[in-house]
Amino acid sequence: MAGKVLTITSGKGGVGKTTVTANLGVALALHSQRVTVIDADIGLRNLDVMLGLENRIVYDLVDVVEGRCRLRQALVRDKRLQELFLLPAAQTRDKTAVSPQDMVQVCDDLRQSFDFLLIDSPAGIEQGFQNAVAPADGILIVTNPEVAAVRDADRIIGLLEAEEKGPAHLIINRLKPKLVERGDMLDTATVVELLAIQLIGIVPEDESVIAAANTGRPIAFDDGVTGRSFHDIARRLLGENIPFAPLKEPGFFDRLLRIVRPEGG
Amino acid sequence: MRLLDLLLCRRQPSSSEIAHERLRLVLAHDRANISPGMLDTLKDELITVISRYVPIDAAGVEVTFTQGRRESRLVADIPLQTGKQHGQ
Ligand SMILES: Nc1ncnc2c1ncn2[C@@H]1O[C@H](COP(=O)(O)OP(=O)(O)OP(=O)(O)O)[C@@H](O)[C@H]1O
Ligand SMILES: [Mg+2]
């Protein structure tokens, strides 16, 4: 049974692709999946530090492609999860060092031994993006509920459809329920309606994501609204039907409502 | 707060509603690969061509997109000049 290749991409930079890739990798591995996360952002590698694995890297993707090591030698095993591996990007080379065909070849090889390959795409629509989507069986588009990010996501969706790549699913990252309530942030339904692709996850804005990046321990290791949002995505990828839960911790009125109307609504 | 505004009929659109409206337009233009400027030129040329055949109310002409991912539609609303305006 061959593994599934999912590419995490966005169009606009800085919306949370690397954060999503690291956390989904952790969440899937915690669900007993064999996972390799692949950093396709050659020259600007980030995934290693996000996972706290930067000190274990010996070889990288470019070493594999240029024949300086075998593919398995370049894989870095996570220190906490036996089933999670990282294939790091080269930090000192540019994105032309790897071609889309190289990526297809690497993934075809790894597919045999893993359930999921998650590719962290660089921002933009250039070669690095082409490399990242070439081997994909499915695409996860990350966006923020903001005009510029949604616009760029739409551009990427259009490109992927023209190349008949997909299916593409949407992850809305950094949602602030309080701002939405106040009318100062696009809500989930509007973003989904505008982009017209299927939603697979909503991740709230959470300061502890930044702390997690500081320590190299993705938030999906810990329980909490944000950690859970990544586990929900993982379970949806595994075919479970998980409803989209409200993101806020229940407030006083929610609890009161629940007492008044215990059947919920 | 917004309810109160509604009741007093003085509700301003929220910033997220403005974002929604702006995105609706910008996505339609992006998808059709036509800029608002091009749309203006197109409108002017339409007016010139059509007025050769029928008298139209140039000020009332509207050229817009209806958006959809798989299908975008260019809609031109061209009001004809009514009888009383004739011969202006
Ligand atoms: N849900 C969140 N809550 C708070 N901060 C977040 C969240 N998601 C991402 N961030 C922060 O946003 C910044 C950018 O995230 P990240 O590096 O994952 O984006 P990216 O899309 O990979 O960027 P690039 O396009 O540069 O590769 C980081 O500082 C990260 O900690
Ligand atoms: Mg990144």
Side-chain angles (χ1 to χ4, degrees), chain A residues 147 150-151 154 157-158 161 181 183-186 190 193-196, chain B residues 2 14-17 19-20 22-24 26-27 30-31 67 69-70:
Chain A
V147 174
V150 172
R151 181 195 198 176
D154 190 72
I157 295 167
E161 283 192 353
E181 227 165 274
D184 279 328
M185 182 174 264
L186 288 162
T190 301
E193 177 221 300
L194 284 165
L195 293 178
Chain B
R2 285 161 79 190
S14 69
S15 79
S16 66
E17 283 166 324
H20 187 179
R22 291 176 65 213
L23 269 168
R24 206 200 288 283
V26 83
L27 294 193
D30 284 356
R31 286 170 188 173
Q67 86 159 45
R69 179 170 297 290
R70 270 157 206 92

PDB file of all heavy atoms in Angstrom, chain A residues 147 150-151 154 157-158 161 181 183-186 190 193-196, chain B residues 2 14-17 19-20 22-24 26-27 30-31 67 69-70:
ATOM      1  N   VAL A 147      -7.760  39.820   3.399  1.00  0.00           N
ATOM      2  CA  VAL A 147      -7.972  40.054   1.970  1.00  0.00           C
ATOM      3  C   VAL A 147      -6.795  39.553   1.127  1.00  0.00           C
ATOM      4  O   VAL A 147      -6.970  38.783   0.186  1.00  0.00           O
ATOM      5  CB  VAL A 147      -8.242  41.556   1.693  1.00  0.00           C
ATOM      6  CG1 VAL A 147      -8.328  41.822   0.202  1.00  0.00           C
ATOM      7  CG2 VAL A 147      -9.532  41.993   2.379  1.00  0.00           C
ATOM      8  N   VAL A 150      -6.315  35.666   1.129  1.00  0.00           N
ATOM      9  CA  VAL A 150      -7.387  34.957   0.409  1.00  0.00           C
ATOM     10  C   VAL A 150      -7.213  35.158  -1.092  1.00  0.00           C
ATOM     11  O   VAL A 150      -7.367  34.227  -1.889  1.00  0.00           O
ATOM     12  CB  VAL A 150      -8.779  35.448   0.866  1.00  0.00           C
ATOM     13  CG1 VAL A 150      -9.876  34.867  -0.014  1.00  0.00           C
ATOM     14  CG2 VAL A 150      -9.017  35.070   2.331  1.00  0.00           C
ATOM     15  N   ARG A 151      -6.843  36.369  -1.477  1.00  0.00           N
ATOM     16  CA  ARG A 151      -6.654  36.646  -2.891  1.00  0.00           C
ATOM     17  C   ARG A 151      -5.555  35.754  -3.472  1.00  0.00           C
ATOM     18  O   ARG A 151      -5.715  35.159  -4.537  1.00  0.00           O
ATOM     19  CB  ARG A 151      -6.268  38.112  -3.076  1.00  0.00           C
ATOM     20  CG  ARG A 151      -6.095  38.437  -4.521  1.00  0.00           C
ATOM     21  CD  ARG A 151      -5.398  39.726  -4.739  1.00  0.00           C
ATOM     22  NE  ARG A 151      -5.661  40.156  -6.117  1.00  0.00           N
ATOM     23  CZ  ARG A 151      -5.256  41.298  -6.609  1.00  0.00           C
ATOM     24  NH1 ARG A 151      -4.604  42.143  -5.850  1.00  0.00           N
ATOM     25  NH2 ARG A 151      -5.501  41.605  -7.865  1.00  0.00           N
ATOM     26  N   ASP A 154      -6.570  32.188  -3.855  1.00  0.00           N
ATOM     27  CA  ASP A 154      -7.417  31.988  -5.028  1.00  0.00           C
ATOM     28  C   ASP A 154      -6.576  31.814  -6.291  1.00  0.00           C
ATOM     29  O   ASP A 154      -6.884  30.991  -7.157  1.00  0.00           O
ATOM     30  CB  ASP A 154      -8.382  33.165  -5.203  1.00  0.00           C
ATOM     31  CG  ASP A 154      -9.438  32.875  -6.257  1.00  0.00           C
ATOM     32  OD1 ASP A 154     -10.321  32.054  -5.960  1.00  0.00           O
ATOM     33  OD2 ASP A 154      -9.368  33.427  -7.365  1.00  0.00           O
ATOM     34  N   ILE A 157      -5.197  28.334  -6.251  1.00  0.00           N
ATOM     35  CA  ILE A 157      -6.240  27.356  -6.565  1.00  0.00           C
ATOM     36  C   ILE A 157      -6.482  27.327  -8.070  1.00  0.00           C
ATOM     37  O   ILE A 157      -6.598  26.263  -8.674  1.00  0.00           O
ATOM     38  CB  ILE A 157      -7.540  27.685  -5.797  1.00  0.00           C
ATOM     39  CG1 ILE A 157      -7.312  27.528  -4.294  1.00  0.00           C
ATOM     40  CG2 ILE A 157      -8.681  26.776  -6.255  1.00  0.00           C
ATOM     41  CD1 ILE A 157      -8.413  28.127  -3.427  1.00  0.00           C
ATOM     42  N   GLY A 158      -6.506  28.522  -8.690  1.00  0.00           N
ATOM     43  CA  GLY A 158      -6.682  28.610 -10.137  1.00  0.00           C
ATOM     44  C   GLY A 158      -5.554  27.905 -10.883  1.00  0.00           C
ATOM     45  O   GLY A 158      -5.790  27.134 -11.811  1.00  0.00           O
ATOM     46  N   GLU A 161      -5.833  24.141 -10.527  1.00  0.00           N
ATOM     47  CA  GLU A 161      -6.913  23.597 -11.356  1.00  0.00           C
ATOM     48  C   GLU A 161      -6.491  23.541 -12.815  1.00  0.00           C
ATOM     49  O   GLU A 161      -6.786  22.570 -13.511  1.00  0.00           O
ATOM     50  CB  GLU A 161      -8.183  24.411 -11.189  1.00  0.00           C
ATOM     51  CG  GLU A 161      -8.873  24.069  -9.884  1.00  0.00           C
ATOM     52  CD  GLU A 161     -10.284  24.626  -9.772  1.00  0.00           C
ATOM     53  OE1 GLU A 161     -10.705  25.401 -10.662  1.00  0.00           O
ATOM     54  OE2 GLU A 161     -10.945  24.289  -8.784  1.00  0.00           O
ATOM     55  N   GLU A 181     -16.588  37.907  15.591  1.00  0.00           N
ATOM     56  CA  GLU A 181     -17.830  38.275  16.266  1.00  0.00           C
ATOM     57  C   GLU A 181     -18.084  39.784  16.176  1.00  0.00           C
ATOM     58  O   GLU A 181     -19.197  40.238  16.013  1.00  0.00           O
ATOM     59  CB  GLU A 181     -17.722  37.866  17.730  1.00  0.00           C
ATOM     60  CG  GLU A 181     -18.932  37.138  18.278  1.00  0.00           C
ATOM     61  CD  GLU A 181     -18.561  36.470  19.581  1.00  0.00           C
ATOM     62  OE1 GLU A 181     -18.038  35.331  19.547  1.00  0.00           O
ATOM     63  OE2 GLU A 181     -18.765  37.098  20.619  1.00  0.00           O
ATOM     64  N   GLY A 183     -17.141  41.660  13.864  1.00  0.00           N
ATOM     65  CA  GLY A 183     -17.268  42.124  12.479  1.00  0.00           C
ATOM     66  C   GLY A 183     -15.981  42.673  11.901  1.00  0.00           C
ATOM     67  O   GLY A 183     -15.993  43.357  10.884  1.00  0.00           O
ATOM     68  N   ASP A 184     -14.847  42.344  12.541  1.00  0.00           N
ATOM     69  CA  ASP A 184     -13.581  42.867  12.041  1.00  0.00           C
ATOM     70  C   ASP A 184     -12.671  41.794  11.463  1.00  0.00           C
ATOM     71  O   ASP A 184     -11.479  42.026  11.262  1.00  0.00           O
ATOM     72  CB  ASP A 184     -12.847  43.651  13.134  1.00  0.00           C
ATOM     73  CG  ASP A 184     -13.399  45.067  13.244  1.00  0.00           C
ATOM     74  OD1 ASP A 184     -13.833  45.606  12.212  1.00  0.00           O
ATOM     75  OD2 ASP A 184     -13.401  45.624  14.358  1.00  0.00           O
ATOM     76  N   MET A 185     -13.221  40.597  11.227  1.00  0.00           N
ATOM     77  CA  MET A 185     -12.434  39.572  10.539  1.00  0.00           C
ATOM     78  C   MET A 185     -13.389  38.728   9.705  1.00  0.00           C
ATOM     79  O   MET A 185     -14.495  38.414  10.137  1.00  0.00           O
ATOM     80  CB  MET A 185     -11.682  38.693  11.546  1.00  0.00           C
ATOM     81  CG  MET A 185     -10.806  37.644  10.884  1.00  0.00           C
ATOM     82  SD  MET A 185      -9.783  36.714  12.048  1.00  0.00           S
ATOM     83  CE  MET A 185      -8.248  37.611  11.972  1.00  0.00           C
ATOM     84  N   LEU A 186     -12.933  38.378   8.499  1.00  0.00           N
ATOM     85  CA  LEU A 186     -13.726  37.506   7.627  1.00  0.00           C
ATOM     86  C   LEU A 186     -14.039  36.209   8.371  1.00  0.00           C
ATOM     87  O   LEU A 186     -13.167  35.633   9.002  1.00  0.00           O
ATOM     88  CB  LEU A 186     -12.936  37.185   6.353  1.00  0.00           C
ATOM     89  CG  LEU A 186     -12.770  38.328   5.349  1.00  0.00           C
ATOM     90  CD1 LEU A 186     -11.636  38.008   4.384  1.00  0.00           C
ATOM     91  CD2 LEU A 186     -14.068  38.561   4.594  1.00  0.00           C
ATOM     92  N   THR A 190     -17.563  32.782   4.831  1.00  0.00           N
ATOM     93  CA  THR A 190     -17.302  33.715   3.731  1.00  0.00           C
ATOM     94  C   THR A 190     -16.051  33.307   2.958  1.00  0.00           C
ATOM     95  O   THR A 190     -16.046  33.300   1.723  1.00  0.00           O
ATOM     96  CB  THR A 190     -17.123  35.149   4.289  1.00  0.00           C
ATOM     97  OG1 THR A 190     -18.320  35.512   4.974  1.00  0.00           O
ATOM     98  CG2 THR A 190     -16.859  36.138   3.176  1.00  0.00           C
ATOM     99  N   GLU A 193     -16.832  30.278   0.906  1.00  0.00           N
ATOM    100  CA  GLU A 193     -17.705  30.629  -0.219  1.00  0.00           C
ATOM    101  C   GLU A 193     -16.901  31.303  -1.333  1.00  0.00           C
ATOM    102  O   GLU A 193     -17.042  30.974  -2.500  1.00  0.00           O
ATOM    103  CB  GLU A 193     -18.816  31.556   0.274  1.00  0.00           C
ATOM    104  CG  GLU A 193     -19.753  32.059  -0.820  1.00  0.00           C
ATOM    105  CD  GLU A 193     -20.100  33.528  -0.641  1.00  0.00           C
ATOM    106  OE1 GLU A 193     -20.667  33.861   0.423  1.00  0.00           O
ATOM    107  OE2 GLU A 193     -19.779  34.329  -1.543  1.00  0.00           O
ATOM    108  N   LEU A 194     -16.005  32.219  -0.956  1.00  0.00           N
ATOM    109  CA  LEU A 194     -15.217  32.937  -1.951  1.00  0.00           C
ATOM    110  C   LEU A 194     -14.271  32.008  -2.696  1.00  0.00           C
ATOM    111  O   LEU A 194     -14.132  32.080  -3.909  1.00  0.00           O
ATOM    112  CB  LEU A 194     -14.411  34.059  -1.286  1.00  0.00           C
ATOM    113  CG  LEU A 194     -15.180  35.317  -0.875  1.00  0.00           C
ATOM    114  CD1 LEU A 194     -14.339  36.157   0.072  1.00  0.00           C
ATOM    115  CD2 LEU A 194     -15.559  36.135  -2.109  1.00  0.00           C
ATOM    116  N   LEU A 195     -13.598  31.125  -1.968  1.00  0.00           N
ATOM    117  CA  LEU A 195     -12.578  30.278  -2.591  1.00  0.00           C
ATOM    118  C   LEU A 195     -13.174  29.027  -3.225  1.00  0.00           C
ATOM    119  O   LEU A 195     -12.547  28.386  -4.069  1.00  0.00           O
ATOM    120  CB  LEU A 195     -11.510  29.897  -1.563  1.00  0.00           C
ATOM    121  CG  LEU A 195     -10.648  31.067  -1.075  1.00  0.00           C
ATOM    122  CD1 LEU A 195      -9.647  30.609  -0.025  1.00  0.00           C
ATOM    123  CD2 LEU A 195      -9.915  31.706  -2.256  1.00  0.00           C
ATOM    124  N   ALA A 196     -14.377  28.666  -2.806  1.00  0.00           N
ATOM    125  CA  ALA A 196     -15.097  27.545  -3.404  1.00  0.00           C
ATOM    126  C   ALA A 196     -14.293  26.242  -3.416  1.00  0.00           C
ATOM    127  O   ALA A 196     -14.293  25.515  -4.406  1.00  0.00           O
ATOM    128  CB  ALA A 196     -15.569  27.913  -4.820  1.00  0.00           C
TER     129      ALA A 196
ATOM    130  N   ARG B   2     -24.445  46.081  17.000  1.00  0.00           N
ATOM    131  CA  ARG B   2     -24.814  46.110  15.584  1.00  0.00           C
ATOM    132  C   ARG B   2     -26.327  46.066  15.430  1.00  0.00           C
ATOM    133  O   ARG B   2     -26.882  46.631  14.505  1.00  0.00           O
ATOM    134  CB  ARG B   2     -24.152  44.963  14.851  1.00  0.00           C
ATOM    135  CG  ARG B   2     -22.668  45.218  14.612  1.00  0.00           C
ATOM    136  CD  ARG B   2     -21.921  43.959  14.312  1.00  0.00           C
ATOM    137  NE  ARG B   2     -22.097  43.540  12.936  1.00  0.00           N
ATOM    138  CZ  ARG B   2     -21.698  42.373  12.492  1.00  0.00           C
ATOM    139  NH1 ARG B   2     -21.148  41.518  13.300  1.00  0.00           N
ATOM    140  NH2 ARG B   2     -21.877  42.057  11.246  1.00  0.00           N
ATOM    141  N   SER B  14     -19.548  46.580   8.422  1.00  0.00           N
ATOM    142  CA  SER B  14     -18.377  46.250   9.241  1.00  0.00           C
ATOM    143  C   SER B  14     -17.165  46.078   8.343  1.00  0.00           C
ATOM    144  O   SER B  14     -17.298  45.904   7.129  1.00  0.00           O
ATOM    145  CB  SER B  14     -18.636  44.955  10.012  1.00  0.00           C
ATOM    146  OG  SER B  14     -18.676  43.870   9.116  1.00  0.00           O
ATOM    147  N   SER B  15     -15.969  46.089   8.936  1.00  0.00           N
ATOM    148  CA  SER B  15     -14.765  45.964   8.115  1.00  0.00           C
ATOM    149  C   SER B  15     -14.717  44.603   7.426  1.00  0.00           C
ATOM    150  O   SER B  15     -14.188  44.467   6.332  1.00  0.00           O
ATOM    151  CB  SER B  15     -13.507  46.204   8.954  1.00  0.00           C
ATOM    152  OG  SER B  15     -13.178  45.073   9.713  1.00  0.00           O
ATOM    153  N   SER B  16     -15.308  43.577   8.057  1.00  0.00           N
ATOM    154  CA  SER B  16     -15.287  42.260   7.405  1.00  0.00           C
ATOM    155  C   SER B  16     -16.256  42.224   6.226  1.00  0.00           C
ATOM    156  O   SER B  16     -16.005  41.548   5.229  1.00  0.00           O
ATOM    157  CB  SER B  16     -15.610  41.152   8.408  1.00  0.00           C
ATOM    158  OG  SER B  16     -16.928  41.271   8.863  1.00  0.00           O
ATOM    159  N   GLU B  17     -17.346  42.985   6.317  1.00  0.00           N
ATOM    160  CA  GLU B  17     -18.258  43.051   5.163  1.00  0.00           C
ATOM    161  C   GLU B  17     -17.603  43.800   4.005  1.00  0.00           C
ATOM    162  O   GLU B  17     -17.765  43.430   2.840  1.00  0.00           O
ATOM    163  CB  GLU B  17     -19.572  43.736   5.570  1.00  0.00           C
ATOM    164  CG  GLU B  17     -20.472  42.818   6.365  1.00  0.00           C
ATOM    165  CD  GLU B  17     -21.605  43.558   7.069  1.00  0.00           C
ATOM    166  OE1 GLU B  17     -21.393  44.685   7.531  1.00  0.00           O
ATOM    167  OE2 GLU B  17     -22.699  42.985   7.152  1.00  0.00           O
ATOM    168  N   ALA B  19     -14.366  43.851   3.511  1.00  0.00           N
ATOM    169  CA  ALA B  19     -13.374  42.894   3.002  1.00  0.00           C
ATOM    170  C   ALA B  19     -14.037  41.895   2.052  1.00  0.00           C
ATOM    171  O   ALA B  19     -13.502  41.580   0.991  1.00  0.00           O
ATOM    172  CB  ALA B  19     -12.719  42.152   4.171  1.00  0.00           C
ATOM    173  N   HIS B  20     -15.205  41.419   2.435  1.00  0.00           N
ATOM    174  CA  HIS B  20     -15.947  40.447   1.618  1.00  0.00           C
ATOM    175  C   HIS B  20     -16.256  41.041   0.242  1.00  0.00           C
ATOM    176  O   HIS B  20     -16.002  40.431  -0.795  1.00  0.00           O
ATOM    177  CB  HIS B  20     -17.242  40.067   2.343  1.00  0.00           C
ATOM    178  CG  HIS B  20     -17.995  38.952   1.685  1.00  0.00           C
ATOM    179  ND1 HIS B  20     -19.164  38.449   2.185  1.00  0.00           N
ATOM    180  CD2 HIS B  20     -17.751  38.255   0.557  1.00  0.00           C
ATOM    181  CE1 HIS B  20     -19.597  37.489   1.401  1.00  0.00           C
ATOM    182  NE2 HIS B  20     -18.755  37.345   0.405  1.00  0.00           N
ATOM    183  N   ARG B  22     -14.833  43.620  -1.266  1.00  0.00           N
ATOM    184  CA  ARG B  22     -13.617  43.878  -2.048  1.00  0.00           C
ATOM    185  C   ARG B  22     -13.078  42.586  -2.647  1.00  0.00           C
ATOM    186  O   ARG B  22     -12.656  42.542  -3.799  1.00  0.00           O
ATOM    187  CB  ARG B  22     -12.549  44.527  -1.158  1.00  0.00           C
ATOM    188  CG  ARG B  22     -12.907  45.947  -0.752  1.00  0.00           C
ATOM    189  CD  ARG B  22     -11.871  46.499   0.207  1.00  0.00           C
ATOM    190  NE  ARG B  22     -10.567  46.644  -0.403  1.00  0.00           N
ATOM    191  CZ  ARG B  22      -9.425  46.482   0.263  1.00  0.00           C
ATOM    192  NH1 ARG B  22      -9.433  46.171   1.548  1.00  0.00           N
ATOM    193  NH2 ARG B  22      -8.285  46.632  -0.358  1.00  0.00           N
ATOM    194  N   LEU B  23     -13.097  41.526  -1.848  1.00  0.00           N
ATOM    195  CA  LEU B  23     -12.588  40.244  -2.351  1.00  0.00           C
ATOM    196  C   LEU B  23     -13.457  39.727  -3.493  1.00  0.00           C
ATOM    197  O   LEU B  23     -12.958  39.174  -4.468  1.00  0.00           O
ATOM    198  CB  LEU B  23     -12.543  39.219  -1.218  1.00  0.00           C
ATOM    199  CG  LEU B  23     -11.225  39.167  -0.457  1.00  0.00           C
ATOM    200  CD1 LEU B  23     -11.367  38.350   0.812  1.00  0.00           C
ATOM    201  CD2 LEU B  23     -10.122  38.574  -1.346  1.00  0.00           C
ATOM    202  N   ARG B  24     -14.772  39.883  -3.344  1.00  0.00           N
ATOM    203  CA  ARG B  24     -15.677  39.415  -4.387  1.00  0.00           C
ATOM    204  C   ARG B  24     -15.277  40.028  -5.727  1.00  0.00           C
ATOM    205  O   ARG B  24     -15.178  39.341  -6.741  1.00  0.00           O
ATOM    206  CB  ARG B  24     -17.098  39.820  -4.017  1.00  0.00           C
ATOM    207  CG  ARG B  24     -18.161  38.906  -4.612  1.00  0.00           C
ATOM    208  CD  ARG B  24     -19.493  39.601  -4.644  1.00  0.00           C
ATOM    209  NE  ARG B  24     -20.103  39.751  -3.330  1.00  0.00           N
ATOM    210  CZ  ARG B  24     -20.705  38.757  -2.679  1.00  0.00           C
ATOM    211  NH1 ARG B  24     -20.723  37.535  -3.191  1.00  0.00           N
ATOM    212  NH2 ARG B  24     -21.269  38.961  -1.515  1.00  0.00           N
ATOM    213  N   VAL B  26     -12.279  41.649  -6.506  1.00  0.00           N
ATOM    214  CA  VAL B  26     -10.891  41.428  -6.929  1.00  0.00           C
ATOM    215  C   VAL B  26     -10.716  39.997  -7.440  1.00  0.00           C
ATOM    216  O   VAL B  26     -10.007  39.747  -8.418  1.00  0.00           O
ATOM    217  CB  VAL B  26      -9.911  41.791  -5.796  1.00  0.00           C
ATOM    218  CG1 VAL B  26      -9.722  40.680  -4.807  1.00  0.00           C
ATOM    219  CG2 VAL B  26      -8.568  42.211  -6.361  1.00  0.00           C
ATOM    220  N   LEU B  27     -11.416  39.041  -6.853  1.00  0.00           N
ATOM    221  CA  LEU B  27     -11.313  37.656  -7.326  1.00  0.00           C
ATOM    222  C   LEU B  27     -11.940  37.511  -8.706  1.00  0.00           C
ATOM    223  O   LEU B  27     -11.414  36.796  -9.562  1.00  0.00           O
ATOM    224  CB  LEU B  27     -11.978  36.684  -6.347  1.00  0.00           C
ATOM    225  CG  LEU B  27     -11.332  36.533  -4.971  1.00  0.00           C
ATOM    226  CD1 LEU B  27     -11.905  35.332  -4.241  1.00  0.00           C
ATOM    227  CD2 LEU B  27      -9.826  36.418  -5.062  1.00  0.00           C
ATOM    228  N   ASP B  30      -9.396  38.932 -11.036  1.00  0.00           N
ATOM    229  CA  ASP B  30      -8.227  38.042 -11.133  1.00  0.00           C
ATOM    230  C   ASP B  30      -8.556  36.814 -11.987  1.00  0.00           C
ATOM    231  O   ASP B  30      -7.779  36.407 -12.842  1.00  0.00           O
ATOM    232  CB  ASP B  30      -7.804  37.553  -9.737  1.00  0.00           C
ATOM    233  CG  ASP B  30      -7.066  38.636  -8.948  1.00  0.00           C
ATOM    234  OD1 ASP B  30      -6.836  39.718  -9.513  1.00  0.00           O
ATOM    235  OD2 ASP B  30      -6.729  38.376  -7.775  1.00  0.00           O
ATOM    236  N   ARG B  31      -9.701  36.227 -11.717  1.00  0.00           N
ATOM    237  CA  ARG B  31     -10.046  34.973 -12.399  1.00  0.00           C
ATOM    238  C   ARG B  31     -10.246  35.198 -13.883  1.00  0.00           C
ATOM    239  O   ARG B  31      -9.880  34.367 -14.704  1.00  0.00           O
ATOM    240  CB  ARG B  31     -11.319  34.383 -11.788  1.00  0.00           C
ATOM    241  CG  ARG B  31     -11.065  33.764 -10.432  1.00  0.00           C
ATOM    242  CD  ARG B  31     -12.363  33.402  -9.745  1.00  0.00           C
ATOM    243  NE  ARG B  31     -12.124  32.986  -8.362  1.00  0.00           N
ATOM    244  CZ  ARG B  31     -13.097  32.751  -7.500  1.00  0.00           C
ATOM    245  NH1 ARG B  31     -14.354  32.870  -7.869  1.00  0.00           N
ATOM    246  NH2 ARG B  31     -12.805  32.380  -6.270  1.00  0.00           N
ATOM    247  N   GLN B  67     -19.366  36.317 -10.607  1.00  0.00           N
ATOM    248  CA  GLN B  67     -18.207  35.480 -10.351  1.00  0.00           C
ATOM    249  C   GLN B  67     -18.593  34.036 -10.086  1.00  0.00           C
ATOM    250  O   GLN B  67     -19.695  33.721  -9.683  1.00  0.00           O
ATOM    251  CB  GLN B  67     -17.416  36.022  -9.171  1.00  0.00           C
ATOM    252  CG  GLN B  67     -17.928  35.529  -7.832  1.00  0.00           C
ATOM    253  CD  GLN B  67     -16.849  35.658  -6.789  1.00  0.00           C
ATOM    254  OE1 GLN B  67     -16.181  36.667  -6.703  1.00  0.00           O
ATOM    255  NE2 GLN B  67     -16.687  34.640  -5.992  1.00  0.00           N
ATOM    256  N   ARG B  69     -16.064  30.109  -9.836  1.00  0.00           N
ATOM    257  CA  ARG B  69     -14.736  29.626 -10.161  1.00  0.00           C
ATOM    258  C   ARG B  69     -14.706  29.014 -11.543  1.00  0.00           C
ATOM    259  O   ARG B  69     -13.805  29.223 -12.334  1.00  0.00           O
ATOM    260  CB  ARG B  69     -14.246  28.614  -9.134  1.00  0.00           C
ATOM    261  CG  ARG B  69     -12.871  28.094  -9.508  1.00  0.00           C
ATOM    262  CD  ARG B  69     -12.268  27.298  -8.410  1.00  0.00           C
ATOM    263  NE  ARG B  69     -12.063  28.096  -7.236  1.00  0.00           N
ATOM    264  CZ  ARG B  69     -11.151  29.063  -7.165  1.00  0.00           C
ATOM    265  NH1 ARG B  69     -10.383  29.333  -8.184  1.00  0.00           N
ATOM    266  NH2 ARG B  69     -11.020  29.738  -6.056  1.00  0.00           N
ATOM    267  N   ARG B  70     -15.726  28.229 -11.843  1.00  0.00           N
ATOM    268  CA  ARG B  70     -15.684  27.511 -13.104  1.00  0.00           C
ATOM    269  C   ARG B  70     -16.275  28.317 -14.242  1.00  0.00           C
ATOM    270  O   ARG B  70     -16.096  28.033 -15.392  1.00  0.00           O
ATOM    271  CB  ARG B  70     -16.381  26.160 -12.953  1.00  0.00           C
ATOM    272  CG  ARG B  70     -15.393  25.111 -12.535  1.00  0.00           C
ATOM    273  CD  ARG B  70     -16.036  23.938 -11.859  1.00  0.00           C
ATOM    274  NE  ARG B  70     -15.077  23.309 -10.969  1.00  0.00           N
ATOM    275  CZ  ARG B  70     -14.955  23.620  -9.685  1.00  0.00           C
ATOM    276  NH1 ARG B  70     -15.745  24.520  -9.134  1.00  0.00           N
ATOM    277  NH2 ARG B  70     -14.054  23.038  -8.943  1.00  0.00           N
TER     278      ARG B  70
END
